[in-house]
Amino acid sequence: MQCHRIEELIELLKPVWLAHNNLNLAQMLTQLADEAGFDGKLSDLTDDVLIYHLKMRGAAKDAMIPGIQKDCEDDFKSALLKARGIQS
């Protein structure tokens, strides 16, 4: 894992953990995994699942995932032209 991913995860995790300061780290990670719908072993939980869940936690169910929104096109024609290198 790269340093910026560790820093991002800690930055996102800190306010949530402070709000639930009665939990230890394993309990906090288990709670976040359950919220995210992760049903595997805790040892298989990836940093991506945690990061995206923490970023989207509290957002509307139909909210755009951060990182995807910048690539989103309003209509198919614009997306196709952009993919072909033709700007409309």
Side-chain angles (χ1 to χ4, degrees), residues 64-85:
M64 185 70 67
I65 296 173
I68 293 178
Q69 187 171 13
K70 66 180 174 44
D71 296 325
C72 187
E73 290 292 333
D74 291 331
D75 61 84
F76 181 75
K77 181 181 176 184
S78 296
L80 189 59
L81 292 173
K82 186 176 180 180
R84 292 184 178 174

Side-chain angles (χ1 to χ4, degrees), residues 13-28 31 57:
L13 186 58
K14 184 178 179 179
V16 176
W17 199 2
L18 287 173
H20 302 282
N21 58 7
N22 59 325
L23 302 176
N24 65 41
L25 181 59
Q27 292 169 326
M28 187 75 238
Q31 179 179 332
R57 192 171 194 238

Side-chain angles (χ1 to χ4, degrees), residues 4-82:
H4 74 277
R5 304 235 349 128
I6 294 170
E7 292 167 0
E8 182 180 21
L9 184 55
I10 290 171
E11 180 182 321
L12 292 167
L13 186 58
K14 184 178 179 179
V16 176
W17 199 2
L18 287 173
H20 302 282
N21 58 7
N22 59 325
L23 302 176
N24 65 41
L25 181 59
Q27 292 169 326
M28 187 75 238
L29 294 176
T30 301
Q31 179 179 332
L32 290 171
D34 290 343
E35 287 176 12
F38 182 80
D39 58 355
K41 297 186 299 186
L42 193 57
S43 61
D44 294 332
L45 183 65
T46 65
D47 57 323
D48 290 329
V49 170
L50 287 172
I51 288 171
Y52 281 110
H53 177 65
L54 288 166
K55 283 184 176 183
M56 298 300 293
R57 192 171 194 238
K61 295 273 185 198
D62 59 348
M64 185 70 67
I65 296 173
I68 293 178
Q69 187 171 13
K70 66 180 174 44
D71 296 325
C72 187
E73 290 292 333
D74 291 331
D75 61 84
F76 181 75
K77 181 181 176 184
S78 296
L80 189 59
L81 292 173
K82 186 176 180 180

